[in-house]
Amino acid sequence: MSAAALRHLRLRHLPPCSLSGLKTQSRSPLRTFHRTMATAASPATSAPSAGPVTKYRLQYEPTPFVVSSVHLDFALEPEATVVTQTTHYKPNDKFKGASKDMLFDGAAPDDLKLVSICVNDADITAQCDRHAKGLTVPASSLPDADEFVVKIVTEIAPAKNTALEGLYQSSGNFCSQCEAEGFRRITFYYDRPDVMTKFTVRMDADKEKYPVLLSNGNLVESGDVAGTSGRHYAVYEDPWAKPCYLFALVAGNLKCVEETYTTKMSGKKVTLRIYVEEHNLDKCQHAMDSLIRSMEWDEEKFGLEYDLEIFNIVAVDDFNMGAMENKSLNVFNSRLVLATPRLATDGDFYRIEGVVGHEYFHNWTGNRVTCKSWFELSLKEGLTVYRDQEFSADVNSRAVKRIDDATMLRAAQFAEDAGPIAHPIRPDSYQKMDNFYTVTVYEKGAEVVRMYERLLGKDGFRKGMDLYFKRHDGCAVTCNDFYQAMVDAANGGNDLPNFLNWYAQAGTPAVTCSSSYDEAAKTYALTLKQTTPSTPGQPSESKKPLMIPVATSLLDSSTGAPMPSVTVSTDGGDATTMEGPEFVLRFHEAETTYTFSNVASKPVPSLFRGFSAPVKVTVDGQSMDELAFLIANDTDGFVRYDASQRLARTAMNACMDAIPEDVAPCDCVPSGELASSPSVSQYLDAISTAIDRVVAMAPSGIDEDTLSFIARLVVPPAASEIITDVPMGTADPAKVCRAREAVLNATAQRNKDSFAKLLAYVDANEPKEYKPDPTSMALRTLKSVCLKMGVRAATVAGDAAASEAVYNDVLERYRASTNMTTQIACMSALNDLKECPAREAVMEEFYNTYKEEKLVMFKWLSMQASSGCNGADTMEKVFEEHPAYNINNPNSNYSLLGGFCGNLSQFHTPEGYAWIAKMVKKLDTINPQVASRFCKVFARYRQYEPTRQALMKGYLEELSKIESLSENSREIVTLALNDQ
């Protein structure tokens, strides 16, 4: 499922800041590795607790009864939908001879009303125990038979379901969301991913209000309901067995765009439909094109053909995550379907393509092969994120994609790994599964999958994938099953030493590299050491070494060219010849020295090329000259980018304590001794050289990769990334923000003329008609950077008349633009300017133009929330009650609250903390899943200096005392407060 993310705002695991309770316990469930869980009481036989229940991976046990088939009948009404479930069960042979109760999962009585339950037509309602966690059917009420039928009738109120889990209404239409545990808000059932069966679904509803009725699989029957006035029905059968989390239902007044796709492998025709509200029909073409490209790519890349004759997508406005991969009926957050050049940015087009691909790819990696338990979530999500990353890289720029993926991981996932909710990609325990749709499970999980490819090669990885599907199609399996398929198919049955430790250990590994060159012997020695820091329940000394692929090249220090062939050996190991400009070192011990022979001159190492492992790297003795050399000469885009980030960090560190607290952002400019310091001057020299080289290309044309690369190269690390790297208990966000402003301002000032030339190049080469193709997107990305740098340069210069002319030029560009990307770029360039008429004009004009466009208003809210002009007081008095904001809509909260939490200079104030804490309390009573994400912004309080630390902890303690606090929020709050 897409969520968490957060591709930030990728809207897979929303929001972008990765906003990731337990009754108070002395130890967190994520802190203890429960060695005795295999003998703990089974959830299949124990009466559930009324409070939060901790689930453990080692406690897994199959259900005592197997589901043969399910028939669901929905009589749809907003206030009182009646659901009739008829299910055939068989005793599980693994429990033969044992008397077992049936423990069905179900929501609290306020959310799910039990009408009746019958077994083989005998009413046993009075004999069952209806409790807060579901329904217990005593063994004494069950027949001693090889198969029996359970019929359960429930009543739900979709119109009142603000949690947006189970069956609810969005814009008056019925919609379902069942992953992870939403199905239990619809009926009583074994709500777990390993219970797979075939579903038949019948719906009846008011024909005028809900003319479209959709569910999984094939439509087998439809018509008017006999004996009623104005009601109709539809029956769907899904030929593929699936768990209930993949069940979907949509009913509403919707229209569709339709195309057909003919598969390349067998020539099968597939009908593709995207359902939206009628006024959005013109916004679907890009999503449809992305779906077709995804289907073609999956056949060509992995030999995976779609397995039904219809594929439906439905866009809804109210959705907690990004999208959901329900079999043949994908439900999407409307932000990730609807797009036109006038209303959507390049980023929107790019995200739509990636997420449409992600959800389609789940048809095999998630649906056909699914998870044995939710602890194995990364089995499907990490693998599918890897697949959507590869898809995006193939249809766009691979080098830029890797830079973007690494940047997001460092800013969001590394921070999560360093906090109180740090967890492995396969956690050992949880209370609310919704809290573990995280960047760790998704994006770090994808990097773990990518490491298989690095270690086994593309051909070996494909063999492993083929064997995985051959062995496990139609099954619910584990991460170990995936590992074994990879090892057996691609590695000759040999283990990948220590690789499974990636699934068990939390924290971001740190790799230290040191080297020496023996000129007489012509040998170069590279020593790698790895450690993983302590995380909750896993002290550093207990962490085991990991298998880390280190993609490496040795560069000639004179020419910058890679050494084409080297011989390498390790301590006690045989020598191996590494051919080609790049090779992969398999580093799996705590420390290993690699000795390279026949190295003619001292090389410059190019390490972790393409971000070959999700680790933090320190290169002992690496000079700023070497970093500048890598920026100028390396052929690997990520290494060049990473070198620029390392230089930027040194420059920011130099500025951190040198700029007084009372200096305005526009006056944060290194001057005097600071400006001439090696840390600052060498960074500016390296960046300026890189910019000048691109400017020199202009007469003959600049390729799209270079355009995209230079736009990223000049931006220093995010403040959130820098905060993760400072010692625990010392982070001062204001200092970090001032230092980052100083580096940006100095870059803008130093390269003012070059940015103006690049802007002129973009103006001359950007197509007049908007196109979301890679080259056009690269031009507009560079334009945005040039506009921001131009505004910075004018502002720091202090010439009021000159700066006003620059601001007005940006305003006129906004007014002349016909696409949303450039309009947002202009707004962003002016967004932090206080008392600036141009900023005020653009914000007002944008609102007046687009106030009826809900999706566009999310952009406006996010822009306002992220502005340095707007503090918590403005958020509370202006935007909290603004007509553009709706607390019931997740996108609205991700835009306003998420944007403000990412605005570090404004959020990290007493007023900022107070406002977000207040909003969390309100949200928790409406949508606990969304509220818990914003609890996470307080969770890393120990990272900050004492004053902020005390304030953040105080709000966590305040939340913990709310008796009615949801389980979602309470788990996060308790994990944070128990962190030691």
Side-chain angles (χ1 to χ4, degrees), residues 650-787:
T650 63
M652 290 172 67
N653 288 337
C655 297
M656 201 81 74
D657 294 311
I659 299 174
E661 293 183 11
D662 57 351
V663 173
C666 63
D667 294 328
C668 290
V669 183
S671 59
E673 185 177 335
L674 180 60
S676 61
S677 70
S679 297
V680 174
S681 62
Q682 286 198 261
Y683 170 73
L684 292 175
D685 287 345
I687 295 299
S688 298
T689 298
I691 295 172
D692 290 343
R693 286 182 177 179
V694 176
V695 171
M697 297 178 188
S700 58
I702 308 172
D703 63 274
E704 68 186 60
D705 277 359
T706 301
L707 291 167
S708 296
F709 177 74
I710 200 66
R712 288 158 174 79
L713 190 76
V714 301
V715 180
S720 59
E721 184 180 335
I722 299 300
I723 286 172
T724 303
D725 289 336
V726 304
M728 185 68 69
T730 66
D732 184 335
K735 280 186 178 181
V736 175
C737 290
R738 285 195 299 270
R740 191 169 189 273
E741 288 293 313
V743 169
L744 281 167
N745 289 343
T747 302
Q749 192 178 46
R750 170 84 169 265
N751 299 282
K752 175 184 175 182
D753 293 340
S754 293
F755 283 122
K757 290 176 182 177
L758 289 174
L759 183 59
Y761 176 85
V762 173
D763 288 340
N765 289 275
E766 183 184 358
K768 300 301 180 186
E769 181 181 351
Y770 177 90
K771 295 180 181 179
D773 62 275
T775 299
S776 299
M777 286 184 173
L779 285 163
R780 287 188 290 268
T781 299
L782 183 57
K783 178 198 286 186
S784 179
V785 170
C786 290
L787 289 174

Side-chain angles (χ1 to χ4, degrees), residues 480-538:
N480 289 59
D481 294 316
F482 183 79
Y483 166 85
Q484 200 61 52
M486 287 289 153
V487 168
D488 290 348
N491 208 39
N494 298 316
D495 289 343
L496 294 173
N498 302 340
F499 195 88
L500 284 172
N501 292 338
W502 282 102
Y503 292 96
Q505 293 180 182
T508 303
V511 177
T512 301
C513 314
S514 58
S515 62
S516 62
Y517 179 67
D518 186 329
E519 186 172 6
K522 302 299 180 184
T523 58
Y524 175 76
L526 175 66
T527 299
L528 304 179
K529 298 180 182 179
Q530 62 167 295
T531 58
T532 303
S534 296
T535 51
Q538 295 182 340

Side-chain angles (χ1 to χ4, degrees), residues 31 61 70 89 105 176 200 309 399 475-476 543 577 637 680 740 785 837 847 849 852 898 938:
R31 279 195 187 87
E61 193 172 77
V70 174
Y89 288 95
D105 299 298
S176 66
T200 300
E309 294 179 357
C475 300
K543 302 285 180 77
T577 300
V680 174
R740 191 169 189 273
V785 170
Y847 178 77
T849 300
E852 301 303 323
F938 295 110

Side-chain angles (χ1 to χ4, degrees), residues 240-253:
W240 298 99
K242 65 175 179 286
C244 65
Y245 83 84
L246 291 172
F247 162 78
L249 180 155
V250 172
N253 189 4

